[in-house]
Every structure is written in structure tokens, then in C-alpha cells.
Amino acid sequence: MRRARPLLGTFVEIAVAGAPPAEMEAAVEAAFAAVATVHGLMSFHDEDSDVSRLNREAFAVPVAVHPWTFEVLDIAGELRRRSAGVFDIGIAPVLQNLGLLPRPDGMTPWPAAGPRGGDPIELLSDCRIRFRDRGVRIDLGGIAKGYAVDRAVEALRGCGMSEGVVNAGGDLAVFGPHPHAIHIRDPRQPQRPMCEVALRDAALATSAGRFDPLTCREAGESAVIDPRTGAPVCGIVGATVRAPTCVHADALTKVVMAFGEAAGPLLEFYGASALFVSGRGVHVSADWQDGVHLAA
């Protein structure tokens, strides 16, 4: 059974197998409900989301959030510390200044800056969050999609599914006894497949330049911003990360885009591996877990 719905700013596709149709239908509905919950909690654009409430209020008073939002902020904080600030959900002001995120009427631009010393986001008891800096505004666009995939997989497993795939616009996870062939686009020519990898009980995520097939056949400038410079990353045009969880695969693509081969120790810490493309060609980390078959 395979279903798709528009969520998370993309199309989310969920497929399951190996169970009676009624059970598969119920499992897929539960998985879509989990994705919709993440969408509602972590949207930058929805004024009622946890993210929007935090951006409005968390410097003035601690703000209570959903446990899933709290968990994502905890994961993001660890990634920020371990990546020396290269993964930073506090990048929202830079994205607003670049026109990549909207700025509410009356909100003045906030100057782009490098990583701040210390952690500007404080996680308190009872799922409460406080911002230590008045200028902090967060965007979870670099991690929430992967987290939603993980929650959907959890819902499918919780409904007794033994095999399935969740794909949120290229951030995906598979589980079950059979490997799945995953085609990765060439970030230099996004309409062309670059290679195929076999994925089993793992997650995969990709970051590259912005691409709209309706307007241009070429990839545009990178949508990944390096917080150290306040500018789109350069040198690496696309990165794919394989990891045990999609939340980490999603976030680590941004670190690989900025660090390239220097991201190796962080990938190793999270049990992840990477494939990325630079001006010098295709690179694969030493611990990439199976063969990569380059397209002709």
C-alpha cells in the first residue's frame, strides 16, 4: 500500500507491506497523523506553532512546548555543540535577511552574525524553553523533516507493520527485511540520477542547491547557510548522509555541506556516513556502508 500527501512543504509518501489491507490503512493514517503533528508544531510560517510562539515570547518568559518540539531542540543543541556552531537552528534571522524566510510586519532585520558563544537556547524542566538572547529566532527547517520521518516510522511499527518506507521529499527511512534501491540526484544536474544505493533499516537525507524543475533545469544557489559567514555554503554542491535515524541524517547534511571531509569525526560519532559532490567530483566517506553505483 502506498499513499502520498502534501505536508512539510513537500510531498510525503508512505508505503507499507506484509499485512492485511485494513491494518495497513490504519497504520498509514497513524503515520500521516504523526507527520502532520510535527508540521503543526515546528512550522516557521504558522503563527500558532511552537516555533512561532518561541520566536515571539521565549526571551521574555519560558514557553512550554510539546515534548516532540522539546526533543528536537535538545537534539539540535547537541548537534550545535558538537559541530562548533555549524549546525544552528538560530539561523532564522540570516534566512530572513536573505529573503529565504518571511519577516512579520514591523519586525526589524537582525544583523547576521557568526555562532554565538554558549548556548542561547535554554531547556528547562516540564518541556519549557527560554531564549537567553533577545535576537534569537529559530527555524527547524534543517531538522524537522527528518524528525517527522522518524515519528512516522515509529507510528508504522507501533501499528504492527514489519516493512515500510517513509519519504518526505528525499529525506527518507526504510525498515524491514528487504533492502530498497534509492536513487540519488546529481546536485549539478538535478534532473539526472547520479547513483543508486541499497538502504535497509536506515535513513537517508540530501541537501543541495535550490531546484525548481518548472523554471530551470539547473540547480540554484545553495539553500544551506553557514552560520560562521551568514552566506550560502560554497565548495560543496550537494551532500547525502546515511544514518540510523532520519533526524540525524537530515541535520548532518548541513554539516557535511559546510565541512566536507572534515565532518568525518562527527559522522562517526552518530554512526553515519556521507556522499558529497564538490568541484573535484564525487566523494564518499570511508565508512559508507555499501557500494555506490554511479549512473552512466
Side-chain angles (χ1 to χ4, degrees):
M1 179 177 291
R2 190 180 302 271
R3 299 284 187 269
R5 292 180 188 172
L7 285 164
L8 304 170
T10 186
F11 279 95
V12 177
E13 184 179 46
I14 298 175
V16 291
E23 293 181 17
M24 291 193 292
E25 191 75 51
V28 168
E29 286 299 317
F32 275 125
V35 174
T37 296
V38 174
H39 182 114
L41 292 170
M42 304 183 199
S43 169
F44 186 89
H45 305 274
D46 183 348
E47 64 179 16
D48 296 323
S49 71
D50 278 355
V51 166
S52 292
R53 292 192 303 110
L54 287 168
N55 286 338
R56 286 194 305 267
E57 304 166 16
F59 176 71
V61 294
V63 175
V65 298
H66 190 282
W68 287 4
T69 307
F70 191 88
E71 183 178 14
V72 169
L73 294 177
D74 191 22
I75 294 169
E78 181 186 75
L79 281 159
R80 180 184 183 277
R81 292 187 293 273
R82 293 190 179 277
S83 68
V86 168
F87 183 82
D88 187 359
I89 60 173
I91 199 71
V94 176
L95 297 174
Q96 289 175 315
N97 291 347
L98 292 172
L100 299 176
L101 283 178
R103 181 181 292 112
D105 293 341
M107 179 180 286
T108 58
W110 190 257
R116 297 178 173 91
D119 195 336
I121 301 172
E122 186 177 6
L123 277 63
L124 306 171
S125 60
D126 300 324
C127 291
R128 293 175 302 137
I129 305 295
R130 180 167 56 199
F131 292 172
R132 295 189 174 102
D133 187 323
R134 183 181 297 276
V136 172
R137 290 194 293 277
I138 64 169
D139 171 48
L140 299 182
I143 192 171
K145 195 161 59 167
Y147 184 81
V149 169
D150 290 337
R151 295 285 68 78
V153 168
E154 180 182 64
L156 294 175
R157 288 184 179 275
C159 290
M161 296 299 103
S162 60
E163 183 171 8
V165 180
V166 180
N167 185 346
D171 287 5
L172 59 91
V174 306
F175 67 96
H178 304 110
H180 292 258
I182 307 298
H183 297 275
I184 299 174
R185 286 178 174 179
D186 189 332
R188 299 159 296 189
Q189 298 175 285
Q191 293 185 326
R192 175 181 179 269
M194 181 176 66
C195 63
E196 176 185 295
V197 298
L199 196 67
R200 179 179 175 183
D201 285 326
L204 202 73
T206 297
S207 288
R210 296 187 293 277
F211 174 59
D212 183 351
L214 299 178
T215 61
C216 182
R217 297 177 64 87
E218 302 291 330
E221 188 176 50
S222 175
V224 178
I225 306 301
D226 187 338
R228 299 170 298 181
T229 63
V233 297
C234 60
I236 295 174
V237 296
T240 295
V241 171
R242 175 177 181 158
T245 63
C246 201
V247 67
H248 287 109
D250 189 9
L252 287 169
T253 60
K254 287 74 182 176
V255 180
V256 174
M257 288 283 286
F259 277 164
E261 293 178 357
L266 191 61
L267 291 169
E268 182 179 0
F269 177 83
Y270 286 106
S273 54
L275 176 154
F276 60 94
V277 179
S278 73
R280 296 182 288 115
V282 179
H283 310 259
V284 179
S285 65
D287 54 352
W288 186 266
Q289 298 169 8
D290 57 14
V292 176
H293 310 290
L294 294 177

